[in-house]
Amino acid sequence: MTTIKQVAAVIPAAGIGRRMQSECPKQYLQLGQKTVLEWTVQALCQDPRISHIYIATSNDDPYFSAQQFKVKQPIVRVQGGATRAASVAAGVQAAIADGFSWVAVHDAARPCLTAAELTAVLDAALSDPVGALLALPVADTLKRSEAGQRSSGSVCREQLWQAQTPQVFPAAELQRGWQLLGTDHPDLTDEASVMEALGLQPQLVVGRRSNLKITQPGDEAIARLIVLDKE
Ligand SMILES: Nc1ccn([C@@H]2O[C@H](COP(=O)(O)OP(=O)(O)OP(=O)(O)O)[C@@H](O)[C@H]2O)c(=O)n1
Ligand SMILES: C[C@](O)(CO)[C@H](O)COP(=O)(O)O
């Protein structure tokens, strides 16, 4: 009988959603019958290799206790930190303490992840010496703006990708990176940056534009259309 490798999902959900300017943190906005976070947890349970879910929330989060996660995987709440990296590191530490050697880090603000994307990034990561992340080749012309929101030129996009999540890596390697660099380093905006800082080159797995991160006003309306189309 072949045993499948068990992976802990870590969801950073301790942000305040400043850019969103919404009445509550964006991870608790309602998309139909579920909140963004409830959709995200459900999305991560679409592959049986995800066996536990660690959610990092802010200490004074008044919304989490009312969440209804209708999944069979155990949900573990941990205290998030002042940065996304600190929140992720708290979840990874809890996962390691529970015996996990691989983690799949996925933003709470990305509720539209499909089963196909999740399976693809897990397949790639678990058979790769470094790990893997979902990403999109840049499809638009990129402009640089140095003053007054005016274009001062274009940036070559030939070798540029937009990182998404899940990002799937060995937990101990991530911890080694944070021990070296800290969790408030401005360049460590995702887990792949930590691996790159260790001199490693994660595998890029082509994702979908529908796996958007709810960030700016109006993004929640797009995400609502995507998730309700699945219902
Ligand atoms: N200290 C932090 C900051 C962010 N996050 C989480 O990291 C994810 C991606 O971060 P981002 O989109 O930047 O969320 P916010 O930090 O909430 O947004 P903003 O920067 O607009 O405040 C989100 O699910 C957010 O909840 C976190 O767990 N802990
Ligand atoms: C992790 C991430 O979603 C990859 O694109 C992104 O770096 C998160 O950035 P944020 O400013 O913390 O939302």
Side-chain angles (χ1 to χ4, degrees):
M1 154 136 144
T2 56
T3 53
I4 61 170
K5 188 180 280 278
Q6 297 297 292
V7 177
V10 174
I11 303 177
I16 61 171
R18 191 176 302 107
R19 289 170 284 183
M20 200 63 200
Q21 301 166 41
S22 49
E23 74 278 1
C24 67
K26 59 190 179 183
Q27 57 270 35
Y28 295 113
L29 289 172
Q30 206 71 28
L31 305 180
Q33 296 303 309
K34 296 185 189 72
T35 65
V36 170
L37 182 57
E38 287 166 343
W39 280 110
T40 298
V41 167
Q42 180 175 298
L44 280 168
C45 295
Q46 297 176 106
D47 187 296
R49 289 169 287 188
I50 300 290
S51 64
H52 273 62
I53 298 183
Y54 297 82
I55 306 178
T57 67
S58 61
N59 199 22
D60 57 352
D61 177 332
Y63 305 97
F64 184 81
S65 56
Q67 300 299 289
Q68 296 184 9
F69 303 118
K70 295 170 181 157
V71 297
K72 64 180 187 331
Q73 285 83 344
I75 306 271
V76 179
R77 181 180 184 181
V78 299
Q79 185 172 323
T83 63
R84 180 185 175 282
S87 297
V88 173
V92 169
Q93 183 174 6
I96 289 174
D98 287 343
F100 288 94
S101 54
W102 280 86
V103 290
V105 181
H106 186 56
D107 295 322
R110 291 185 191 267
C112 304
L113 178 72
T114 64
E117 293 166 285
L118 175 59
T119 297
V121 71
L122 287 172
D123 286 349
L126 298 177
S127 57
D128 188 279
V130 175
L133 66 146
L134 287 179
L136 276 183
V138 168
D140 302 312
T141 295
L142 298 177
K143 300 295 182 187
R144 180 182 306 286
S145 171
E146 279 147 6
Q149 206 165 302
R150 302 192 70 81
S151 171
S152 56
S154 300
V155 177
C156 176
R157 59 179 160 153
E158 284 313 304
Q159 296 178 329
L160 297 184
W161 293 63
Q162 277 179 276
Q164 298 179 328
T165 63
Q167 304 200 3
V168 187
F169 296 114
E173 284 291 75
L174 287 174
Q175 269 202 335
R176 184 163 72 91
W178 289 315
Q179 280 155 3
L180 279 174
L181 299 157
T183 56
D184 56 358
H185 193 294
D187 295 343
L188 300 185
T189 54
D190 69 349
E191 289 62 61
S193 308
V194 181
M195 304 300 282
E196 292 151 9
L198 294 174
L200 302 168
Q201 295 185 335
Q203 188 182 155
L204 297 166
V205 177
V206 178
R208 299 181 186 185
R209 293 170 78 94
S210 54
N211 181 29
L212 75 155
K213 177 165 65 74
I214 297 172
T215 305
Q216 311 282 357
D219 289 346
E220 79 286 359
I222 298 168
R224 188 174 290 118
L225 287 173
I226 294 168
V227 294
L228 295 188
D229 188 43
K230 294 182 198 177
E231 273 203 326

